[in-house]
Amino acid sequence: MEIVYVYTKKRSDFGRPCNFSERAAEVAVDIAPDPGAAAAFVPRNPVDAHVQHASDMSEHEVNTERVEVETRGVNHTEGGWPKDINPHEMEQTIRFRKKVEKDENYINTITHLGTLMEHCIKQNNAINIYEDYFGEEEMAEVEDEPPSAKTINVIRDPNITKRTATHLSWHPDGCKKLAIAYSSLEFQQNLKDMSFDSYIWDLENSNKPELVLKPSSPLVTLEYNPKDSHILAGGCYNGQIAYWDTRKGRLPVEVSTVEFSHRDPVYGTIWLQSKTGTECFSASTDGQVLWWDIRKLSEPTETLVLDITRKGLLENALGAISLEFEPTMPTKFMVGTEQGIIITCNRKAKTPPEKITGTYSGHHGPVYALSRNPFYPKFFLTVGDWTARIWSEESKESSIMWTKYHLSYLTDGCWSTVRPAVFFTTKMDGTLDIWDFLFKQNDPSLSLKICDEPLFSLRLQDNGCFVGCGSKLGTVTLLEISSGLCTLQRNEKTLATAMFERETRREKILEARHREMRLKERVRSEARGEEGKEETPEESSPELLERVRSEFLEAIEAERRRRAQAEARR
């Protein structure tokens, strides 16, 4: 049954604006003064009076119990069908609908609701409450405000024995939830009473974690699945990979077997862009990159040994401490190593040696962070030792831009998701630096002292306005960045591209010059060596020793004669 109602009304008959016009003033009433009316009043003296209207109050204090709020959720699925009807079978649902629509009670209910709906539709069409009356006027440009950030929340490790917040992961559907991995990475510092738990926090109720994750070993990394926000993958301190489904509770759904897992802590876990949304890969300091399908974690689907000599030997492999994957480049990924070398890889290469396509070397210590620019993926950021460096894939001998050498060690970094010229770094002295190299290259645009202990992890929310910083003692500070640092500026993409390309060209010119100088020096040294061989005949070892001995004795004799002459003059 369908309710059809057609009504016609001119637009000019409703929502008509008021028309105002100018006209001369008119006198409505004119009351003349009457001096004789003053005789009916008596002057009052004095005319000041004070009245206190406030009632007497006594102050009392009471300490009430804190209300603990617990969040509960409901998974809604299509329901209301009888038990004998399968909602996934189209024929059964259509047959049941036809049966219900013939019911008299159903027709009466729809008729009643149709009248109410008709009234709402008419009311809605009478006037557009969302009409933009001044859409043609341009908004006045807001003056540039100085860069700033404000703390909106602080989340602390609920355990007595504090652990490092090693990794942060924002919920894919917004900034209301944050998954935090906690573990102690100091060698042999795991105490007996140290908890293995990691947590998912609801930022609107941060007094208590929304869900406690119970791994078999402390989690070093923890990542939300971008395709299914109920699924999380974690890399453990003992090298295992585990995944959770928040709908199934706190225990992992499946854990990889120890025999086929990493041998060292898993420092990087990233979800891949696949049709099933169940594939991920991991990297560890044992020198391996492993690919997994969470539907079968008993063994990895693929393995790569990070041996840059391309022999595939695990004893020559470089330990991976950071991992980078850009979804727009599905076959390429990058690995930052403990030795300060960045390895670029191609997963689809035919043989394992061909999978390692190149290396970049420029840091004096481990590469703690590795991130491609979200706007220009061929440029990437690395953080290690005391500097952050920006590289171009076209220039492998050195980075195209870098920060000054800081007094404190850098621990993490990432690009802004909304501005191509802005990136973030954290340091061991508890400072968060926000760099805008279009505005300033030598110093950060904003430097914030977050805490007294070292900052260890950093993660920016996808909208670019919220950033989380995890510290060594497990405290995660959430900051809201000022609009100037998270709003794309006019011509910023053009200016950033121009700067990247200019620095790349400059670095290529310098590389060519250095190669030329090295070649000249090699030719010059070889020429000197040949001349030396022609001029001086080779001496045997005894002859050389005798010549040096005689020269030494002659020098001593000359010094004696000089001293004797000096004594004679005195």
Side-chain angles (χ1 to χ4, degrees):
M1 176 184 175
E2 294 183 3
I3 298 175
V4 179
Y5 185 86
V6 180
Y7 54 92
T8 307
K9 198 174 185 181
K10 290 185 179 180
R11 179 65 182 86
S12 59
D13 292 343
F14 53 86
R16 180 180 294 174
C18 299
N19 293 324
F20 297 97
S21 60
E22 295 184 3
R23 64 178 183 181
E26 297 178 1
V27 177
V29 181
D30 186 8
I31 302 174
D34 183 10
F41 295 90
V42 179
R44 183 177 177 183
N45 188 19
V47 295
D48 295 332
H50 301 278
V51 179
Q52 177 71 334
H53 291 287
S55 57
D56 293 336
M57 305 283 289
S58 62
E59 185 177 349
H60 296 277
E61 293 181 358
V62 62
N63 190 14
T64 60
E65 292 184 6
R66 189 178 71 178
V67 177
E68 291 191 2
V69 182
E70 185 173 348
T71 306
R72 295 182 180 271
V74 175
N75 287 326
H76 174 74
T77 56
E78 185 177 353
W81 299 97
K83 291 184 178 178
D84 56 336
I85 301 294
N86 184 2
H88 301 292
E89 289 290 336
M90 187 70 71
E91 292 182 4
Q92 294 184 26
T93 54
I94 291 173
R95 196 180 305 122
F96 183 75
R97 280 199 184 96
K98 286 181 179 179
K99 180 182 174 183
V100 171
E101 287 171 1
K102 292 177 182 177
D103 188 3
E104 188 178 343
N105 187 29
Y106 171 80
I107 296 170
N108 294 334
T109 305
I110 293 297
T111 307
H112 172 67
L113 293 174
T115 308
L116 297 174
M117 197 66 190
E118 181 185 349
H119 169 72
C120 294
I121 292 172
K122 285 181 177 179
Q123 190 180 44
N124 231 10
N125 289 345
I127 188 168
N128 181 12
I129 62 172
Y130 301 107
E131 184 177 351
D132 188 5
Y133 292 98
F134 308 102
E136 296 178 359
E137 293 186 8
E138 293 185 4
M139 291 180 63
E141 292 189 6
V142 184
E143 292 184 3
D144 293 336
E145 60 174 341
S148 62
K150 61 180 180 181
T151 303
I152 57 173
N153 209 336
V154 177
I155 301 172
R156 292 180 172 83
D157 184 2
N159 294 283
I160 298 173
T161 305
K162 302 302 179 186
R163 303 158 298 158
T164 303
T166 53
H167 198 85
L168 313 177
S169 180
W170 289 93
H171 192 277
D173 299 334
C175 55
K176 293 184 178 180
K177 291 183 183 179
L178 183 67
I180 306 175
Y182 294 91
S183 64
S184 176
L185 297 177
E186 294 187 10
F187 183 62
Q188 294 184 343
Q189 290 298 310
N190 288 327
L191 305 176
K192 292 182 179 179
D193 58 344
M194 186 172 286
S195 171
F196 287 1
D197 299 348
S198 292
Y199 306 101
I200 296 175
W201 297 86
D202 185 349
L203 303 184
E204 294 180 352
N205 180 24
S206 57
N207 295 325
K208 183 180 178 183
E210 183 184 71
L211 183 65
V212 181
L213 304 179
K214 296 274 188 184
S216 57
S217 175
L219 289 178
V220 181
T221 63
L222 185 62
E223 279 291 344
Y224 269 109
N225 187 337
K227 284 195 173 182
D228 186 352
S229 58
H230 297 104
I231 306 294
L232 296 99
C236 300
Y237 188 79
N238 66 353
Q240 289 179 294
I241 300 294
Y243 91 92
W244 282 262
D245 189 334
T246 55
R247 295 164 293 194
K248 295 183 180 179
R250 57 180 61 188
L251 295 175
V253 179
E254 194 174 350
V255 182
S256 64
T257 54
V258 175
E259 294 82 2
F260 295 102
S261 300
H262 292 283
R263 301 291 184 265
D264 281 355
V266 181
Y267 283 97
T269 306
I270 296 180
W271 290 95
L272 292 167
Q273 292 287 333
S274 61
K275 293 180 181 178
T276 59
T278 58
E279 295 180 18
C280 62
F281 70 118
S282 60
S284 168
T285 47
D286 65 352
Q288 294 184 96
V289 178
L290 305 179
W291 281 265
W292 306 89
D293 191 326
I294 62 172
R295 295 172 297 182
K296 186 185 176 184
L297 280 178
S298 56
E299 59 180 345
T301 58
E302 199 175 332
T303 303
L304 174 64
V305 177
L306 297 173
D307 180 8
I308 58 175
T309 62
R310 294 176 173 82
K311 295 179 181 177
L313 300 175
L314 195 58
E315 56 265 25
N316 296 340
L318 304 181
I321 206 163
S322 57
L323 194 59
E324 195 283 329
F325 173 73
E326 173 58 42
T328 59
M329 308 165 76
T331 62
K332 293 184 178 181
F333 66 95
M334 304 176 75
V335 182
T337 64
E338 291 180 301
Q339 292 77 11
I341 296 172
I342 301 101
I343 303 174
T344 57
C345 307
N346 185 357
R347 184 189 176 188
K348 296 301 180 183
K350 294 180 180 179
T351 60
E354 292 176 357
K355 289 184 178 181
I356 297 177
T357 57
T359 59
Y360 300 83
S361 181
H363 286 285
H364 308 300
V367 180
Y368 287 116
L370 183 57
S371 174
R372 286 189 186 271
N373 190 302
F375 295 87
Y376 311 106
K378 73 174 184 177
F379 301 102
F380 57 93
L381 171 74
T382 60
V383 172
D385 52 66
W386 300 270
T387 61
R389 296 175 177 270
I390 298 173
W391 303 75
S392 170
E393 287 186 345
E394 299 173 3
S395 177
K396 294 195 174 185
E397 291 193 12
S398 64
S399 53
I400 60 171
M401 298 171 68
W402 54 88
T403 65
K404 64 181 180 181
Y405 277 79
H406 297 276
L407 297 175
S408 298
Y409 221 65
L410 269 64
T411 55
D412 205 352
C414 67
W415 286 102
S416 169
T417 54
V418 291
R419 290 194 55 191
V422 174
F423 63 91
F424 302 76
T425 58
T426 55
K427 294 191 290 188
M428 288 284 281
D429 61 359
T431 303
L432 169 68
D433 289 337
I434 304 177
W435 296 78
D436 182 355
F437 58 75
L438 289 183
F439 173 68
K440 193 190 295 185
Q441 288 88 32
N442 297 328
D443 296 296
S445 299
L446 180 63
S447 188
L448 298 168
K449 179 73 173 176
I450 305 297
C451 54
D452 293 328
E453 66 262 21
L455 290 176
F456 193 88
S457 53
L458 173 72
R459 196 66 178 267
L460 190 68
Q461 215 274 334
D462 287 341
N463 63 13
C465 298
F466 300 97
V467 63
C469 305
S471 74
K472 187 178 180 181
L473 298 181
T475 302
V476 176
T477 306
L478 303 180
L479 301 158
E480 183 178 3
I481 305 162
S482 61
S483 59
L485 289 171
C486 59
T487 305
L488 191 65
Q489 305 296 311
R490 184 179 297 173
N491 298 329
E492 180 173 356
K493 288 186 178 181
T494 307
L495 294 172
T497 307
M499 180 173 283
F500 283 144
E501 297 295 341
R502 185 185 72 226
E503 295 300 322
T504 304
R505 285 195 302 272
R506 181 184 68 85
E507 204 59 40
K508 284 182 178 179
I509 292 170
L510 290 176
E511 286 177 8
R513 178 63 177 158
H514 286 159
R515 280 196 296 270
E516 185 182 341
M517 290 173 65
R518 286 197 297 269
L519 183 61
K520 287 182 178 178
E521 186 63 32
R522 192 183 306 125
V523 171
R524 194 179 297 120
S525 61
E526 288 175 358
R528 282 181 194 155
E530 290 176 0
E531 290 177 3
K533 288 177 183 177
E534 292 175 0
E535 291 176 0
T536 55
E538 290 187 2
E539 290 182 293
S540 61
S541 297
E543 291 176 353
L544 180 63
L545 187 63
E546 184 62 31
R547 183 170 60 81
V548 171
R549 181 171 172 275
S550 61
E551 288 177 357
F552 176 70
L553 293 176
E554 288 175 3
I556 291 175
E557 190 63 32
E559 181 64 20
R560 281 180 180 172
R561 286 197 298 271
R562 187 185 65 78
R563 289 185 180 182
Q565 291 174 358
E567 287 289 334
R569 286 174 187 166
R570 289 176 186 172

